[in-house]
Amino acid sequence: RAMEIVYLDSDIVVCVKPARVLSTDEPGGLPELLREALGNPKADIRTVHRLDRVVSGLMVLARNAKAASELSKQIRDGEFEKEYLAVVHGTPEEQGTLRDLLGRDKARRMTFVSDTPAKGIQEAVLHYQLLSRRDDLSKVRIQLETGRTHQIRVQFSSRGFPLVGERKYAEIE
């Protein structure tokens, strides 16, 4: 599988993560594919942020420990901006902020919306703008304020706007 590398220097590599590829460093994961593309099976490639397996998009990976540390600091400090495009079923408002309490059912590997604060429940916040509509589909631009597991999928699905192609959370409303 050919990797699309958008930018490369001694500290970082920016590439397009294909859909159905894990972001993490395991067999068949993005770091392994990058090592193959760079022709160096021992290259130091470190994941500092993730995209769900089903999602494709640009990712920035570190090429050494110092770069990984700096990128992680930028993410923690909110200096590293991530923007997402998604197509959802239905028509949300022109723009909005989605704010929920999310929990994680580790046994089912599912994230859920909670009505009440509790141990393990964390606030999830995202902002979106409606970009276009066609038939019963809407394209939205999303900025995450928090980065919870499956946050975008759960927050939109729980309001009746599941992402196109979504299977895991398509039924929650």
Side-chain angles (χ1 to χ4, degrees), residues 47-50 60 68-82 145:
T47 302
V48 293
H49 67 100
R50 297 179 182 195
V60 179
S69 175
E70 179 58 31
L71 287 168
S72 294
K73 179 185 180 311
Q74 289 176 15
I75 290 168
R76 274 193 313 276
D77 294 347
E79 298 169 9
F80 186 101
E81 290 187 28
K82 295 185 272 186
E145 196 170 300

Side-chain angles (χ1 to χ4, degrees), residues 14-173:
V14 180
C15 67
V16 177
K17 182 189 93 58
R20 295 178 294 288
V21 168
L22 289 169
S23 301
T24 51
D25 201 356
E26 48 207 283
L30 187 61
E32 181 181 274
L33 296 179
L34 281 167
R35 287 184 194 102
E36 288 173 17
L38 296 171
N40 180 356
K42 298 199 183 314
D44 188 0
I45 304 288
R46 300 169 184 235
T47 302
V48 293
H49 67 100
R50 297 179 182 195
L51 284 176
D52 288 351
R53 178 193 290 253
V54 297
V55 176
S56 68
L58 283 180
M59 284 192 62
V60 179
L61 293 97
R63 296 192 66 202
N64 55 60
K66 187 174 182 224
S69 175
E70 179 58 31
L71 287 168
S72 294
K73 179 185 180 311
Q74 289 176 15
I75 290 168
R76 274 193 313 276
D77 294 347
E79 298 169 9
F80 186 101
E81 290 187 28
K82 295 185 272 186
E83 185 173 281
Y84 301 82
L85 291 176
V87 178
V88 300
H89 291 277
T91 308
E93 299 290 321
E94 290 288 322
Q95 61 183 17
T97 296
L98 306 185
R99 188 177 302 270
D100 292 295
L101 295 174
L102 297 185
R104 186 92 177 122
D105 180 336
K106 287 189 172 36
R108 294 176 56 220
R109 299 181 65 157
M110 299 272 290
T111 297
F112 60 89
V113 176
S114 174
D115 294 332
T116 55
K119 186 175 192 273
I121 304 293
Q122 296 181 298
E123 185 177 46
V125 182
L126 66 76
H127 309 283
Y128 74 88
Q129 297 85 37
L130 178 64
L131 298 177
S132 61
R133 291 191 340 238
R134 191 168 93 209
D135 300 325
D136 190 38
L137 301 177
S138 300
K139 182 166 70 172
V140 291
R141 175 184 293 129
I142 301 160
Q143 292 91 24
L144 289 180
E145 196 170 300
T146 57
R148 309 289 175 231
T149 302
H150 301 168
Q151 177 178 339
I152 294 170
R153 296 158 67 184
V154 171
Q155 288 194 281
F156 277 93
S157 289
S158 70
R159 290 164 171 81
F161 305 113
L163 276 62
V164 169
E166 175 60 54
R167 291 191 201 13
K168 194 168 202 160
Y169 297 104
E171 301 304 315
I172 58 174
E173 287 187 40

